[in-house]
Amino acid sequence: MTVFYDPTGSRYGMPTYPYRMAPDGLATRRQLRAAGLRPAGQEPACQILWRRGKRVAYLYRLDLAKPKRTATPAQREAITKALRARRTCDICGLVQPYYIPRRYGCCLDCHGGH
């Protein structure tokens, strides 16, 4: 599909390539994440379009990407507490093996008893 081939960006506002035809040294957010990297605030370098232009993926330069940040022990502890709170019933106080449905506000056992 040469319709989406616009390396200068004159037609689409940024350099655009068809699916699987982008130059080397670029990666999508998902590809960066799989490689342990993050975009680090950079703007997309170009985009790829496919499926008649209905699908788009932005590509970032690998040389400007930085390693993913890791959570500190305090952040990991806060996440653990928050996830445990989502599993704790407000009525009976038991920690369930599933997240408490927000529409009920209590575990399924307590909800069935009302």
Side-chain angles (χ1 to χ4, degrees):
M1 279 240 165
T2 58
V3 141
F4 301 128
Y5 187 76
D6 179 25
T8 62
S10 60
R11 190 175 337 150
Y12 296 103
M14 71 184 319
T16 304
Y17 298 93
Y19 186 66
R20 296 187 184 251
M21 290 189 63
D24 292 335
L26 301 169
T28 64
R29 280 184 179 270
R30 185 174 287 186
Q31 290 168 333
L32 288 174
R33 195 173 338 133
L37 300 170
R38 61 185 168 96
Q42 66 173 301
E43 295 295 319
C46 66
Q47 64 184 353
I48 55 173
L49 292 174
W50 71 101
R51 292 207 178 156
R52 296 185 207 132
K54 294 180 182 179
R55 297 291 311 235
V56 63
Y58 298 107
L59 301 175
Y60 300 88
R61 291 178 41 183
L62 287 170
D63 60 337
L64 297 178
K66 294 185 179 172
K68 284 196 306 187
R69 294 182 283 216
T70 57
T72 65
Q75 288 172 326
R76 282 196 298 268
E77 184 179 335
I79 290 168
T80 301
K81 285 181 181 178
L83 293 178
R84 183 179 179 90
R86 288 182 60 192
R87 295 185 299 120
T88 305
C89 178
D90 287 339
I91 295 175
C92 67
L94 292 177
V95 177
Q96 300 295 339
Y98 56 86
Y99 293 129
I100 305 297
R102 285 199 279 178
R103 77 176 99 167
Y104 303 145
C106 60
C107 67
L108 299 178
D109 293 333
C110 292
H111 178 71
H114 286 148

